[in-house]
Structures are given as C-alpha cells and as structure tokens.
Amino acid sequence: MSFMETTGRQSPDEYRLPVATSPSWRAQATAIDPQLALGFTVSARCGCFMQAARSLNIKATLLRKQLAQLEAQLQCSLFSHCDSGMALSREGLQLQAQLIALAHERDLPVIEQPLVRLAVAESILHDILGRDLVALLRRNASVRLDIITLDSELALQAVSADVVVWLAGTESPLPGPSFAVSEPRRLARLDYQPHIAKRYSRTASRPDSLEDLADFLLVQWQSHRQVENFVPWNALVDQRLAGVVQLHSYELLLEMIRCSACIGLLPGYISRFDRGLIALPGLFGQPMQREVWMAVNAQSEGEAQVQMIVELIQNTFNERREWFES
C-alpha cells in the first residue's frame, strides 16, 4: 500500500514488533540514495510531511514523490495513517532503525546553513517586509537569518550585516552603512504626513490647519526627531507645552494613533497597511519625504542565501509599487 493511501484504525500491536536486524534490511538501507534517505528520516522524525518539507526546504509534493520512489524501490509501505495522524509501518520502523545505525557509524555531520544578517529600518520591517519574511520562514525552516532593526542613524552606522535596508534623505543614500557595500539601490520614495484614526475624526471636524491641531494630542516617535526633512513637524512638536507623547517604539506609535485619538507623523502608504488610519494633507506648506535604500555587503553579495533575501526585498517593493506613488 502506498503511504498516500488511507487505512482503517491500526492496532497498536502492529508497531510493537521488534525491529528486524537481518542483513537484508541493512543492505537495503546502505544502498538507498542519500537524498531519499534524508527525506525519509526527516519525515519519520517530524511525523508530518508538511513540516518535513519545510525543514528540507522543498515542496511537500516533491517530498511525497521521493518517498513514493523509495517505497517502490523497497517494494513496501513505509508509512500508514492512524487516528493520531501519520505513523511508520513495521517496515518503516525497521528502515528507520537501520538508517539511524548507519548515521551513527558514519558520524555524518549536520549541514550548517550560512548565516544571513539582515538589517532593516524598523518601520519598513513592520509595515512592508515583515509579512513576506514570515512567508519565507514558513517555506524554509532550515534558514539561518539574523534580523536587526534600525531605529536611528547611529544604529545604521554601528551595524554589520549582509543586507541593509535603510531610510535616508531624498536624492542621496547618505549617510549609509559604514562598511563596504555594493552600489545602493533606491527602492521607494516615501511622503510623510500627519495621520489620525478615522473613528476619532469625522470628515467635517478633521483639522485642516495647524491651528486646528491645538485641541489634539500629538505623538512623536523619537527616531523622527533628528530627521532633517521633518523640521516642520518637529518644530510643531517642540513648541508644545502640553499635549505631546514621546515614544521610542514604532509599533506603540501606531497603536497610540489607532486607539488614543492622537495625531502622529506616518508615511503616506500607511492607510494601505491599516485602512483605519487617514492622512491629514495640507497642514504643512513643504513636503516631508525620505527614500528607502538597499545595499549588500561587498564581501557576501555573491552568496546564494544573500541573493535570496535581496530578491525577496526587491520583489516585495515591486509588488507594492502603488503604495509609494502619490
């Protein structure tokens, strides 16, 4: 029976038989292709084809084909289904024991995955890249990824990473990373405006001048205080003798605006990320803009895992291009 076919309830006695140690099973285990053996042992260990495929960084359909090929080669069923899910058949238990014994004898090392260090501006990670990075990890459980958040120019200058995504002024990526990098790529230009939650501001009562802001609580992310292009907003905040909240967390900034009737400075795309937020245009006479840049460490830009992260970031920004078009 193929492991993909379902069976009725299996008796526990079927799986309590002693594991065979006959030379024939050992010989068959020795002759198995290493890739098929790895797929089988990981599936047996995980007890779930989907999780095993994630651990191996392959599609579940490919893993099932490999296991079917192995069953055809051995002319027996290695897996069966029971009430609690997938289980090894008697032959599967015998093969697992032999492969474990062979692995111990050969002292096979664990294949080390290269560590990829990704440094990202905190707001970009939260709003734009976070979802796609989660999807990457869902598909590839064996990846080694170190994600570093950048919340200031000082953090950008101090970081060491393989891929860096940061925010800078318009027209130039400077100041950028302090280590040698490839030619920086401009990913997007962001327009910043004050935002408020829709539920706290009816259309007729929304502020349309700086004077109208006097009755609203302003919330300021500390990371914005040193941004040269945000001088109009920062000057307004600094003039306040009351009604100001200073925050060191971007996520808390969003929560305050959503839930506390606050007004805060956010990128213009935020209403696409959270439809409960709305911009208040026309309050300032000059635009407040920043640009998103990406660069790759010159020493590791040729590595496959690094290129995988670079392509993911580039594709994410390409797919969200309409977010940044005013």
Side-chain angles (χ1 to χ4, degrees):
M1 176 186 294
S2 168
F3 74 91
M4 290 181 284
E5 298 178 13
T6 58
T7 66
R9 183 180 182 88
Q10 303 291 323
S11 169
D13 293 339
E14 295 181 43
Y15 304 106
R16 294 177 182 172
L17 296 176
V19 176
T21 58
S22 63
S24 61
W25 268 109
R26 182 176 180 82
Q28 290 186 81
T30 304
I32 293 174
D33 179 271
Q35 186 175 11
L36 299 182
L38 179 62
F40 169 77
T41 54
V42 173
S43 299
R45 182 173 67 247
C46 293
C48 171
F49 296 128
M50 187 66 70
Q51 177 61 29
R54 291 182 62 243
S55 179
L56 294 167
N57 191 24
I58 62 175
K59 293 184 178 180
T61 52
L62 176 57
L63 176 60
R64 286 177 175 269
K65 288 180 181 179
Q66 292 177 349
L67 295 176
Q69 179 183 344
L70 180 59
E71 289 185 330
Q73 176 182 329
L74 298 177
Q75 297 183 346
C76 66
S77 177
L78 300 175
F79 296 92
S80 61
H81 294 279
C82 57
D83 291 346
S84 58
M86 184 189 79
L88 289 173
S89 66
R90 179 173 56 186
E91 292 79 5
L93 288 169
Q94 292 171 338
L95 178 60
Q96 182 188 39
Q98 294 300 330
L99 289 174
I100 291 174
L102 286 172
H104 285 309
E105 290 175 10
R106 296 168 181 170
D107 194 23
L108 297 177
V110 176
I111 299 176
E112 181 179 0
Q113 296 293 320
L115 174 64
V116 180
R117 297 161 299 167
L118 171 62
V120 188
E122 185 176 352
S123 58
I124 301 301
L125 177 63
H126 183 277
D127 301 342
I128 300 174
L129 294 178
R131 183 175 299 177
D132 284 355
L133 284 171
V134 170
L136 170 68
L137 300 179
R138 189 182 298 122
R139 297 190 304 267
N140 184 359
S142 64
V143 70
R144 292 180 66 206
L145 186 60
D146 186 6
I147 302 177
I148 307 162
T149 56
L150 305 175
D151 59 2
S152 66
E153 182 180 325
L154 180 62
L156 174 62
Q157 293 294 306
V159 75
S160 176
D162 297 296
V163 183
V164 187
V165 179
W166 74 98
L167 289 162
T170 56
E171 306 302 337
S172 172
L174 300 177
S178 59
F179 52 89
V181 297
S182 62
E183 185 70 22
R185 309 180 195 179
R186 190 175 77 91
L187 298 176
R189 173 172 289 188
L190 309 182
D191 289 289
Y192 286 76
Q193 295 177 346
H195 282 72
I196 191 172
K198 289 181 180 179
R199 60 177 172 170
Y200 291 118
S201 177
R202 297 178 180 176
T203 303
S205 61
R206 283 175 191 155
D208 55 13
S209 68
L210 293 181
E211 290 73 20
D212 293 340
L213 295 180
D215 296 324
F216 290 88
L217 178 65
L218 303 185
V219 58
Q220 169 80 317
W221 186 28
Q222 287 290 341
S223 181
H224 287 166
R225 290 190 61 81
Q226 305 304 319
V227 178
E228 183 178 351
N229 289 17
F230 294 167
V231 168
W233 169 261
N234 291 331
L236 174 66
V237 173
D238 291 340
Q239 292 171 4
R240 282 288 182 101
L241 300 179
V244 175
V245 178
Q246 305 281 353
L247 299 172
H248 292 268
S249 166
Y250 179 74
E251 192 168 358
L252 185 55
L253 170 73
L254 291 177
E255 194 66 17
M256 291 287 289
I257 298 173
R258 289 188 190 111
C259 304
S260 300
C262 295
I263 293 178
L265 190 67
L266 293 173
Y269 65 72
I270 200 68
S271 59
R272 294 179 179 270
F273 177 79
D274 186 336
R275 298 188 183 279
L277 301 177
I278 187 169
L280 301 173
L283 297 182
F284 297 96
Q286 63 188 91
M288 292 180 284
Q289 298 177 326
R290 302 191 81 185
E291 290 185 340
V292 186
W293 295 85
M294 175 175 66
V296 184
N297 192 310
Q299 295 183 346
S300 57
E301 61 178 327
E303 297 178 4
Q305 295 294 319
V306 172
Q307 286 303 313
M308 177 184 68
I309 298 298
V310 170
E311 291 175 7
L312 179 144
I313 294 170
Q314 188 68 67
N315 290 338
T316 298
F317 274 85
N318 289 340
E319 291 170 359
R320 291 164 173 74
R321 183 58 52 194
E322 61 180 15
W323 284 28
F324 318 118
E325 295 174 350
S326 51

